[in-house]
Amino acid sequence: MLEWLVALCIVILVVFIWPGSAMLQELGISRQAAKDKTVRCISDRVGSDSAQMACAGAETDEKARTVALICKPSALANYLLKHCRTFSNYSPCVGWTWRASAFLLSVYEACWPYDSPVQFVRDNLQLSDDGLLALDWAVPSYQKRRRTSSHSTSPVLLIIPNSFGRITRNVLKLCETALSHGYLPVVFNRRSHNGTPLTTVKLQQFGDPADLREAVRYIRYRQPAGRLYAVSESTGSGLLLSYLGECGSSSYVTAAVCLSPVFRCQSWFENGLGWPLQWALVLYQKFCLSRYRTALGETIQTDTLFSSCSLRGLEETLFCQAGSSSSSSNTSGAWDAYWERNEPLRDVDEVAIPVLSVCAQDDPVRGDTQSTVPLELFETNPHFFLLLTGRGGHCGFPTQSKGSATGGSAVVPNSGMESCGTYWSHKALLEFFRATTDFFAAEERAKQLAARRRGLGGGSGGRVFRHRSVSTCKRVPACSHNIHAIYNWQRSYTR
């Protein structure tokens, strides 16, 4: 298995980096044409009557700074447009640099190691069926106290990585950025992912939120005073959207963000990726499952599993028992039934919190924007907001360096090139959390003030009515017995 990983690295170096200049030119022209066409199409669809769009930044030769906020008109949408300046302040990497290629940028973000200054403290959480999942709490390396007090009022940021369990540079840098802004980041690791022991012969299905629900309960028990926010990346967004849809108003999450989400997941598994990306993901997933080959052999056919050459083949063998069925119709039925239970948007109408999705039109993993992004969802559902950029790749969104003032820039070893700074998507999501929290706090204060005014008005009216009743009875001697009745009633009411 180790030889396969070495071969993968060699293929990436030879096939993609060596002829990189030719690919840059070809991808730059084709992506730009598709981008301009898509932006014009979206601008026509989401006018003032159906959506809100914010386009900002000075025009460049390729118009790469365009950012569109697509959503249904609402008070919250207007508030976001007014207070989230990061939404209209995106400066992607342009020009003759390898970061201008969405494909190379996405591969770099997914595969290149990152020496993060953040350390993790792991909590192994035993589930109701005796399974284990892991919660990794991010702490700064200089912090002496390893555990955070349960009385802390700092907000908690729950981070859900991709469904393959790979901890990418995006997740590590998000933890670093969240810590610097006062959050308590915690990374959710599914069963058998990222070194989590597999104690039961059961893996978590793609969109099954049962394990995540127990993890949220534990986080609330450990940090009861802090607000809870959630961020997911790539295919991990399927789990977050499933959880928010099933739990509805009982999700305990204040706001959520999906970075480069895959919305139509069944179609994504069926159509597949380009052969280099799909081959790399299949190889990585087989490598992670190989350590549990003996245990998994009790319930599935491991020979069929490790001979699969596609993501759909792996998913079917793991959860649909495709390898044990001789009828193709039964296999197809089991596959469709599986996605009826796991499609992320199956309960999307039950989501009760603001959800922001950050997507790039040149995303090589998700696919074409018009067929993979449900624009009608964002135009009709007031809880969903879409930030659509021209460039950014898959979970990339680095910003252009500004001279020497690039505090988050990193140097790529042996390349002599600097990165393009911090991630714009991380700044945007933190500003989204702040803006939504301030908006709902203002709404709550307005409701309390209105209720207080109604209460004061109702109380004063009642006192005047009681006084008038008693005084009227005092003027009529024939009704003197009523005075004692009212007095006795008032004494019993006060008691």
Side-chain angles (χ1 to χ4, degrees), residues 310-371:
S310 64
L311 293 174
R312 173 175 177 171
L314 289 176
E315 199 78 7
E316 275 187 316
T317 307
L318 285 173
F319 302 110
C320 302
Q321 296 297 315
S324 61
S325 176
S326 58
S327 173
S328 59
S329 60
N330 293 339
T331 301
S332 177
W335 177 252
D336 293 336
Y338 172 77
W339 284 111
E340 286 181 4
R341 303 187 306 268
N342 290 275
E343 189 67 39
L345 302 180
R346 62 188 183 276
D347 296 320
V348 69
D349 293 335
E350 302 298 327
V351 177
I353 65 168
V355 180
L356 175 68
S357 298
V358 184
C359 301
Q361 297 184 44
D362 62 352
D363 191 334
V365 175
R366 188 198 63 243
D368 178 66
T369 302
Q370 296 297 323
S371 59

Side-chain angles (χ1 to χ4, degrees), residues 125-190:
L125 179 62
Q126 187 172 14
L127 303 172
S128 56
D129 62 349
D130 295 332
L132 280 182
L133 63 84
L135 296 175
D136 291 339
W137 297 83
V139 294
S141 57
Y142 56 82
Q143 181 175 321
K144 296 181 180 179
R145 186 185 182 92
R146 301 285 293 180
R147 293 281 180 177
T148 306
S149 172
S150 59
H151 301 288
S152 173
T153 57
S154 300
V156 179
L157 183 61
L158 176 60
I159 303 175
I160 302 176
N162 54 73
S163 60
F164 304 100
R166 170 73 178 172
I167 303 300
T168 61
R169 294 171 57 91
N170 178 63
V171 171
L172 296 176
K173 289 186 72 69
L174 178 57
C175 292
E176 184 179 347
T177 305
L179 281 173
S180 65
H181 285 76
Y183 287 80
L184 299 178
V186 53
V187 180
F188 173 83
N189 298 290
R190 310 187 192 204

Side-chain angles (χ1 to χ4, degrees), residues 203-268:
L203 297 173
Q204 184 175 355
Q205 297 184 5
F206 186 88
D208 182 10
D211 294 354
L212 182 59
R213 191 181 297 114
E214 295 193 42
V216 170
R217 282 201 208 102
Y218 172 76
I219 293 173
R220 281 185 50 81
Y221 168 78
R222 178 169 168 177
Q223 300 291 336
R227 294 179 181 269
L228 178 61
Y229 302 90
V231 177
S232 61
E233 69 160 3
S234 186
T235 52
S237 300
L239 179 59
L240 178 59
L241 293 174
S242 298
Y243 171 77
L244 296 177
E246 282 201 8
C247 295
S249 58
S250 303
S251 64
Y252 304 111
V253 180
T254 303
V257 173
C258 300
L259 298 177
S260 299
V262 177
F263 294 103
R264 298 184 170 96
C265 297
Q266 181 178 3
S267 175
W268 186 78

Side-chain angles (χ1 to χ4, degrees), residues 12 15 67 212 287 314 333 342 363 373 392 397 417 435 449 458 463 475 481 494:
I12 292 177
V15 176
V67 180
L212 182 59
F287 176 76
L314 289 176
N342 290 275
D363 191 334
V373 178
F397 305 102
M417 294 179 294
L449 181 59
R463 287 194 296 271
R475 293 193 188 103
H481 62 280
T494 8

Side-chain angles (χ1 to χ4, degrees), residues 427-441:
K427 297 179 183 179
L429 70 88
L430 293 179
E431 196 169 36
F432 173 76
F433 289 153
R434 177 190 56 78
T436 52
T437 304
D438 293 345
F439 175 80
F440 288 122

